[in-house]
Amino acid sequence: GQNIDQPTEMTATEGAIVQINCTYQTSGFNGLFWYQQHAGEAPTFLSYNVLDGLEEKGRFSSFLSRSKGYSYLLLKELQMKDSASYLCAVRDGNGRGSTLGRLYFGRGTQLTVWP
Amino acid sequence: EAGVAQSPRYKIIEKRQSVAFWCNPISGHATLYWYQQILGQGPKLLIQFQNNGVVDDSQLPKDRFSAERLKGVDSTLKIQPAKLEDSAVYLCASSTTFRWIEQYFGPGTRLTVT
């Protein structure tokens, strides 16, 4: 099975840096994803890590340590529009054929950015 | 490029009634997914299609839920009969292949069962 844990809520101020952590325990692993979901909207893809290390994309960076079952999403120069839920998801990599590639999502971290 | 389309956006029904949701994926995307997202939780995969074939439906409550993708393009998800616990947002997503990195999500259908 899959167990994905992330904080329920976080708050930060505009211009600051925030780190959202995600820990996972999975029977198989084939990549970790971060999605952003604004209230009432669909999730949108932010980042993908399959190897250990840091992936940077503009103001957003994502880190992965497979040996520790740990990832974080780093958001720099926070803006009000970054207020959203951030979903950590793990792709199944060791399941039987039918579940290979399945994404397992965490509950999401609701980030509120204050002015 | 047009995104994933879903309809209706909102639906309110009474328990034991039936409901159907429709999804049109991004043109050319062979893989289509239906997710259920209960308030305060992350999306949970219900069923995955590759073209018009089912790849993974192990988490679909088959006694009441059914889905089809007859021509390998658009898809419908049906609930019959609905229960109170089916209240959720039903998200459709598509990708070019089940191994591809990014899934593109539609706006979802918010279902309320009273």
Side-chain angles (χ1 to χ4, degrees):
Chain A
Q2 317 285 342
N3 186 30
I4 301 168
D5 193 35
Q6 51 182 129
T8 303
E9 296 179 331
M10 297 184 71
T11 61
T13 54
E14 228 175 349
I17 299 173
V18 70
Q19 177 175 312
I20 303 174
N21 296 324
C22 172
T23 58
Y24 63 91
Q25 293 175 314
T26 61
S27 56
F29 178 84
N30 192 22
L32 187 139
F33 299 74
W34 285 96
Y35 279 80
Q36 180 191 59
Q37 187 175 27
H38 285 100
E41 298 182 12
T44 55
F45 171 80
L46 287 178
S47 69
Y48 167 71
N49 296 70
V50 68
L51 300 176
D52 291 350
L54 188 69
E55 293 284 340
E56 296 185 85
K57 189 188 294 185
R59 294 189 298 115
F60 294 2
S61 302
S62 57
F63 172 83
L64 175 66
S65 169
R66 288 172 296 170
S67 63
K68 295 181 179 178
Y70 168 70
S71 172
Y72 67 73
L73 179 69
L74 192 71
L75 293 77
K76 304 176 184 176
E77 302 170 13
L78 281 173
Q79 303 174 9
M80 299 290 289
K81 67 178 182 179
D82 297 329
S83 292
S85 179
Y86 291 85
L87 299 163
C88 174
V90 173
R91 183 184 290 273
D92 191 321
N94 202 30
R96 297 185 178 182
S98 64
T99 64
L100 189 64
R102 178 191 293 179
L103 277 183
Y104 294 89
F105 284 87
R107 288 176 170 264
T109 298
Q110 182 63 45
L111 173 67
T112 302
V113 180
W114 299 101
Chain B
E1 179 183 71
V4 177
Q6 289 188 249
S7 67
R9 291 295 313 277
Y10 305 91
K11 189 73 177 179
I12 300 174
I13 62 172
E14 296 181 351
K15 59 184 179 183
R16 291 188 288 274
Q17 285 187 325
S18 302
V19 65
F21 313 127
W22 175 81
C23 171
N24 190 22
I26 293 173
S27 178
H29 281 195
T31 308
L32 185 147
Y33 314 80
W34 282 103
Y35 288 89
Q36 179 192 57
Q37 186 173 23
I38 294 172
L39 186 64
Q41 298 183 19
K44 172 188 170 184
L45 181 70
L46 293 176
I47 189 167
Q48 176 182 329
F49 292 94
Q50 181 73 11
N51 296 308
N52 61 348
V54 175
V55 173
D56 181 1
D57 65 355
S58 58
Q59 300 189 119
L60 185 75
K62 299 181 186 63
D63 59 333
R64 298 184 300 106
F65 285 64
S66 64
E68 59 183 12
R69 192 184 185 199
L70 291 176
K71 296 183 179 179
V73 181
D74 55 353
S75 174
T76 55
L77 176 70
K78 298 179 182 178
I79 307 175
Q80 180 179 9
K83 293 185 175 181
L84 295 177
E85 58 261 37
D86 298 332
S87 293
V89 175
Y90 290 84
L91 295 163
C92 179
S94 69
S95 65
T96 53
T97 169
F98 71 88
R99 294 186 186 276
W100 193 246
I101 293 173
E102 187 169 350
Q103 294 183 19
Y104 296 84
F105 284 83
T109 296
R110 182 175 297 277
L111 174 67
T112 301
V113 182
T114 62

